Short mmCIF file of all heavy atoms in Angstrom, two decimals:
data_model
loop_
_atom_site.label_atom_id
_atom_site.label_comp_id
_atom_site.label_asym_id
_atom_site.label_seq_id
_atom_site.Cartn_x
_atom_site.Cartn_y
_atom_site.Cartn_z
N GLY A 264 78.24 102.54 -43.66
CA GLY A 264 78.01 103.31 -42.43
C GLY A 264 77.28 104.60 -42.71
O GLY A 264 77.55 105.26 -43.72
N PRO A 265 76.35 105.01 -41.84
CA PRO A 265 75.51 106.18 -42.10
C PRO A 265 76.11 107.50 -41.68
O PRO A 265 75.50 108.55 -41.91
CB PRO A 265 74.26 105.88 -41.26
CG PRO A 265 74.78 105.09 -40.09
CD PRO A 265 75.91 104.26 -40.63
N ASP A 266 77.29 107.48 -41.08
CA ASP A 266 77.89 108.72 -40.55
C ASP A 266 78.95 109.22 -41.52
O ASP A 266 80.00 108.59 -41.69
CB ASP A 266 78.51 108.46 -39.18
CG ASP A 266 79.01 109.73 -38.52
OD1 ASP A 266 79.03 110.79 -39.20
OD2 ASP A 266 79.39 109.68 -37.34
N PRO A 267 78.72 110.39 -42.17
CA PRO A 267 79.72 110.90 -43.13
C PRO A 267 81.05 111.27 -42.49
O PRO A 267 82.06 111.37 -43.19
CB PRO A 267 79.03 112.13 -43.72
CG PRO A 267 77.97 112.51 -42.75
CD PRO A 267 77.53 111.25 -42.09
N ILE A 268 81.06 111.47 -41.18
CA ILE A 268 82.32 111.81 -40.51
C ILE A 268 83.28 110.62 -40.54
O ILE A 268 84.48 110.78 -40.75
CB ILE A 268 82.04 112.25 -39.05
CG1 ILE A 268 81.24 113.56 -39.03
CG2 ILE A 268 83.36 112.42 -38.28
CD1 ILE A 268 80.83 114.01 -37.66
N THR A 269 82.75 109.44 -40.36
CA THR A 269 83.58 108.23 -40.33
C THR A 269 83.53 107.45 -41.65
O THR A 269 84.23 106.46 -41.80
CB THR A 269 83.14 107.30 -39.19
OG1 THR A 269 81.75 107.00 -39.35
CG2 THR A 269 83.35 107.96 -37.84
N ASN A 270 82.71 107.92 -42.60
CA ASN A 270 82.56 107.24 -43.89
C ASN A 270 82.88 108.24 -45.01
O ASN A 270 82.00 108.95 -45.49
CB ASN A 270 81.13 106.71 -44.04
CG ASN A 270 80.93 105.92 -45.33
OD1 ASN A 270 81.74 105.96 -46.24
ND2 ASN A 270 79.81 105.20 -45.41
N PRO A 271 84.16 108.32 -45.42
CA PRO A 271 84.55 109.30 -46.45
C PRO A 271 83.78 109.14 -47.76
O PRO A 271 83.48 110.13 -48.44
CB PRO A 271 86.04 109.01 -46.65
CG PRO A 271 86.48 108.32 -45.41
CD PRO A 271 85.29 107.53 -44.95
N LYS A 272 83.46 107.90 -48.12
CA LYS A 272 82.74 107.66 -49.37
C LYS A 272 81.36 108.33 -49.31
O LYS A 272 80.91 108.93 -50.27
CB LYS A 272 82.60 106.16 -49.59
CG LYS A 272 82.03 105.75 -50.95
CD LYS A 272 82.08 104.24 -51.10
CE LYS A 272 81.52 103.80 -52.44
NZ LYS A 272 81.55 102.32 -52.58
N LEU A 273 80.70 108.22 -48.17
CA LEU A 273 79.39 108.86 -47.99
C LEU A 273 79.54 110.38 -47.98
O LEU A 273 78.70 111.10 -48.53
CB LEU A 273 78.73 108.36 -46.71
CG LEU A 273 77.37 108.96 -46.37
CD1 LEU A 273 76.36 108.70 -47.49
CD2 LEU A 273 76.85 108.42 -45.04
N ARG A 274 80.61 110.86 -47.36
CA ARG A 274 80.83 112.30 -47.29
C ARG A 274 80.95 112.90 -48.70
O ARG A 274 80.37 113.95 -48.98
CB ARG A 274 82.08 112.59 -46.46
CG ARG A 274 82.32 114.08 -46.22
CD ARG A 274 83.26 114.31 -45.06
NE ARG A 274 84.57 113.74 -45.23
CZ ARG A 274 85.06 112.69 -44.54
NH1 ARG A 274 84.31 112.11 -43.61
NH2 ARG A 274 86.28 112.24 -44.75
N VAL A 275 81.69 112.23 -49.57
CA VAL A 275 81.85 112.70 -50.94
C VAL A 275 80.50 112.70 -51.67
O VAL A 275 80.16 113.64 -52.40
CB VAL A 275 82.88 111.83 -51.70
CG1 VAL A 275 82.84 112.13 -53.19
CG2 VAL A 275 84.29 112.09 -51.16
N ALA A 276 79.72 111.64 -51.46
CA ALA A 276 78.42 111.53 -52.13
C ALA A 276 77.47 112.64 -51.66
O ALA A 276 76.73 113.22 -52.47
CB ALA A 276 77.80 110.15 -51.86
N ILE A 277 77.51 112.94 -50.38
CA ILE A 277 76.66 114.01 -49.84
C ILE A 277 77.10 115.37 -50.37
O ILE A 277 76.28 116.24 -50.66
CB ILE A 277 76.65 113.99 -48.30
CG1 ILE A 277 75.91 112.73 -47.81
CG2 ILE A 277 75.98 115.24 -47.74
CD1 ILE A 277 75.98 112.53 -46.31
N GLU A 278 78.40 115.55 -50.53
CA GLU A 278 78.93 116.79 -51.12
C GLU A 278 78.38 116.97 -52.54
O GLU A 278 78.02 118.08 -52.96
CB GLU A 278 80.45 116.77 -51.14
CG GLU A 278 81.09 116.98 -49.78
CD GLU A 278 82.60 116.80 -49.80
OE1 GLU A 278 83.14 116.54 -50.91
OE2 GLU A 278 83.23 116.90 -48.75
N GLN A 279 78.35 115.88 -53.31
CA GLN A 279 77.81 115.96 -54.66
C GLN A 279 76.33 116.30 -54.64
O GLN A 279 75.84 117.04 -55.49
CB GLN A 279 78.05 114.64 -55.39
CG GLN A 279 79.51 114.37 -55.69
CD GLN A 279 79.70 113.26 -56.71
OE1 GLN A 279 78.75 112.65 -57.17
NE2 GLN A 279 80.95 113.01 -57.07
N ALA A 280 75.62 115.75 -53.65
CA ALA A 280 74.19 116.07 -53.52
C ALA A 280 74.00 117.56 -53.25
O ALA A 280 73.11 118.19 -53.83
CB ALA A 280 73.58 115.25 -52.39
N LYS A 281 74.84 118.13 -52.42
CA LYS A 281 74.73 119.57 -52.11
C LYS A 281 75.04 120.42 -53.34
O LYS A 281 74.37 121.41 -53.60
CB LYS A 281 75.69 119.93 -50.96
CG LYS A 281 75.27 119.38 -49.61
CD LYS A 281 76.28 119.72 -48.53
CE LYS A 281 75.85 119.19 -47.18
NZ LYS A 281 76.87 119.46 -46.12
N LEU A 282 76.06 120.02 -54.11
CA LEU A 282 76.43 120.78 -55.29
C LEU A 282 75.34 120.75 -56.35
O LEU A 282 75.20 121.69 -57.14
CB LEU A 282 77.74 120.22 -55.88
CG LEU A 282 79.02 120.56 -55.10
CD1 LEU A 282 80.18 119.73 -55.62
CD2 LEU A 282 79.33 122.04 -55.22
N SER A 283 74.56 119.68 -56.38
CA SER A 283 73.47 119.59 -57.36
C SER A 283 72.15 120.09 -56.79
O SER A 283 71.11 119.94 -57.42
CB SER A 283 73.32 118.14 -57.84
OG SER A 283 72.99 117.28 -56.77
N ASN A 284 72.21 120.68 -55.57
CA ASN A 284 71.01 121.22 -54.90
C ASN A 284 69.95 120.16 -54.66
O ASN A 284 68.74 120.44 -54.75
CB ASN A 284 70.42 122.38 -55.73
CG ASN A 284 71.36 123.57 -55.79
OD1 ASN A 284 71.94 123.97 -54.77
ND2 ASN A 284 71.53 124.13 -56.96
N MET A 285 70.38 118.97 -54.34
CA MET A 285 69.46 117.88 -54.05
C MET A 285 68.80 118.12 -52.70
O MET A 285 69.49 118.42 -51.71
CB MET A 285 70.23 116.55 -54.04
CG MET A 285 69.41 115.32 -53.87
SD MET A 285 70.46 113.85 -54.13
CE MET A 285 69.32 112.55 -53.67
N PRO A 286 67.48 118.01 -52.59
CA PRO A 286 66.80 118.26 -51.32
C PRO A 286 67.30 117.34 -50.19
O PRO A 286 67.64 116.18 -50.43
CB PRO A 286 65.33 117.96 -51.64
CG PRO A 286 65.22 118.17 -53.11
CD PRO A 286 66.53 117.74 -53.68
N LYS A 287 67.33 117.89 -48.99
CA LYS A 287 67.84 117.15 -47.83
C LYS A 287 67.04 115.87 -47.58
O LYS A 287 67.61 114.84 -47.22
CB LYS A 287 67.78 118.05 -46.59
CG LYS A 287 68.42 117.43 -45.36
CD LYS A 287 68.39 118.40 -44.19
CE LYS A 287 69.01 117.77 -42.94
NZ LYS A 287 68.96 118.70 -41.79
N ASP A 288 65.73 115.92 -47.81
CA ASP A 288 64.90 114.74 -47.62
C ASP A 288 65.32 113.60 -48.54
O ASP A 288 65.31 112.43 -48.14
CB ASP A 288 63.42 115.07 -47.85
CG ASP A 288 62.82 115.91 -46.73
OD1 ASP A 288 63.48 116.04 -45.68
OD2 ASP A 288 61.70 116.43 -46.90
N ASN A 289 65.67 113.95 -49.77
CA ASN A 289 66.14 112.93 -50.72
C ASN A 289 67.43 112.27 -50.22
O ASN A 289 67.62 111.06 -50.34
CB ASN A 289 66.40 113.55 -52.09
CG ASN A 289 65.13 114.06 -52.76
OD1 ASN A 289 64.24 114.57 -52.10
ND2 ASN A 289 65.05 113.95 -54.07
N VAL A 290 68.32 113.10 -49.68
CA VAL A 290 69.59 112.58 -49.15
C VAL A 290 69.33 111.62 -47.99
O VAL A 290 69.89 110.52 -47.95
CB VAL A 290 70.49 113.74 -48.69
CG1 VAL A 290 71.74 113.20 -48.00
CG2 VAL A 290 70.87 114.63 -49.88
N GLU A 291 68.47 112.02 -47.08
CA GLU A 291 68.19 111.19 -45.91
C GLU A 291 67.55 109.87 -46.30
O GLU A 291 67.88 108.81 -45.75
CB GLU A 291 67.29 111.96 -44.94
CG GLU A 291 68.01 113.15 -44.27
CD GLU A 291 67.09 113.97 -43.39
OE1 GLU A 291 65.86 113.72 -43.41
OE2 GLU A 291 67.62 114.87 -42.69
N ARG A 292 66.63 109.90 -47.28
CA ARG A 292 65.99 108.65 -47.73
C ARG A 292 67.02 107.74 -48.40
O ARG A 292 66.97 106.52 -48.21
CB ARG A 292 64.85 108.95 -48.69
CG ARG A 292 63.59 109.48 -48.01
CD ARG A 292 62.39 109.40 -48.93
NE ARG A 292 62.54 110.25 -50.10
CZ ARG A 292 62.18 111.53 -50.15
NH1 ARG A 292 61.62 112.11 -49.09
NH2 ARG A 292 62.34 112.24 -51.25
N ALA A 293 67.92 108.32 -49.16
CA ALA A 293 68.95 107.50 -49.82
C ALA A 293 69.85 106.82 -48.80
O ALA A 293 70.22 105.66 -48.95
CB ALA A 293 69.77 108.37 -50.76
N ILE A 294 70.19 107.56 -47.72
CA ILE A 294 71.00 106.96 -46.65
C ILE A 294 70.24 105.83 -45.98
O ILE A 294 70.78 104.74 -45.73
CB ILE A 294 71.39 108.03 -45.61
CG1 ILE A 294 72.36 109.05 -46.23
CG2 ILE A 294 72.01 107.39 -44.37
CD1 ILE A 294 72.67 110.23 -45.33
N GLN A 295 68.95 106.05 -45.72
CA GLN A 295 68.14 105.01 -45.06
C GLN A 295 67.99 103.76 -45.91
O GLN A 295 67.92 102.65 -45.40
CB GLN A 295 66.78 105.61 -44.71
CG GLN A 295 66.84 106.63 -43.58
CD GLN A 295 65.53 107.37 -43.37
OE1 GLN A 295 64.70 107.45 -44.27
NE2 GLN A 295 65.35 107.94 -42.17
N ARG A 296 67.95 103.96 -47.24
CA ARG A 296 67.90 102.78 -48.11
C ARG A 296 69.21 102.00 -48.03
O ARG A 296 69.23 100.78 -48.09
CB ARG A 296 67.60 103.19 -49.55
CG ARG A 296 66.14 103.54 -49.80
CD ARG A 296 65.81 103.64 -51.27
NE ARG A 296 66.44 104.80 -51.90
CZ ARG A 296 65.89 106.00 -51.97
NH1 ARG A 296 64.67 106.20 -51.47
NH2 ARG A 296 66.52 107.00 -52.55
N GLY A 297 70.31 102.74 -47.89
CA GLY A 297 71.60 102.07 -47.79
C GLY A 297 71.78 101.31 -46.50
O GLY A 297 72.41 100.23 -46.47
N THR A 298 71.23 101.84 -45.41
CA THR A 298 71.36 101.17 -44.11
C THR A 298 70.29 100.12 -43.89
O THR A 298 70.35 99.38 -42.91
CB THR A 298 71.28 102.21 -42.97
OG1 THR A 298 70.02 102.89 -43.05
CG2 THR A 298 72.42 103.21 -43.08
N GLY A 299 69.31 100.06 -44.80
CA GLY A 299 68.24 99.07 -44.65
C GLY A 299 67.03 99.56 -43.88
O GLY A 299 66.08 98.79 -43.67
N GLU A 300 67.05 100.82 -43.43
CA GLU A 300 65.90 101.36 -42.71
C GLU A 300 64.69 101.52 -43.62
O GLU A 300 63.55 101.45 -43.17
CB GLU A 300 66.26 102.72 -42.09
CG GLU A 300 67.32 102.64 -41.00
CD GLU A 300 67.70 104.02 -40.50
OE1 GLU A 300 66.82 104.69 -39.91
OE2 GLU A 300 68.85 104.44 -40.71
N LEU A 301 64.95 101.77 -44.91
CA LEU A 301 63.89 101.84 -45.92
C LEU A 301 64.14 100.78 -46.97
O LEU A 301 65.29 100.44 -47.29
CB LEU A 301 63.86 103.22 -46.59
CG LEU A 301 63.36 104.42 -45.79
CD1 LEU A 301 63.45 105.68 -46.64
CD2 LEU A 301 61.93 104.20 -45.32
N ALA A 302 63.05 100.23 -47.50
CA ALA A 302 63.20 99.24 -48.57
C ALA A 302 63.68 99.93 -49.84
O ALA A 302 63.37 101.10 -50.10
CB ALA A 302 61.85 98.57 -48.83
N GLY A 303 64.44 99.22 -50.65
CA GLY A 303 64.93 99.78 -51.90
C GLY A 303 65.46 98.70 -52.81
O GLY A 303 65.49 97.51 -52.44
N ASP A 304 65.86 99.09 -54.00
CA ASP A 304 66.42 98.13 -54.95
C ASP A 304 67.74 97.58 -54.42
O ASP A 304 68.46 98.24 -53.66
CB ASP A 304 66.66 98.80 -56.31
CG ASP A 304 65.37 99.23 -56.96
OD1 ASP A 304 64.35 98.56 -56.78
OD2 ASP A 304 65.38 100.28 -57.65
N ASN A 305 68.06 96.37 -54.84
CA ASN A 305 69.33 95.76 -54.47
C ASN A 305 70.42 96.26 -55.43
O ASN A 305 70.65 95.66 -56.47
CB ASN A 305 69.21 94.23 -54.52
CG ASN A 305 70.46 93.54 -54.01
OD1 ASN A 305 71.25 94.13 -53.25
ND2 ASN A 305 70.67 92.32 -54.42
#
């Protein structure tokens, strides 16, 4: 699920992204790959 409010696993991953100063665009693309909106590795 793409919503960190209802997906605790995603919320933790996004928290790690923030702690490592990962750009917001990178986070959004990673979410889109997970939901299938963007192509990515299996």
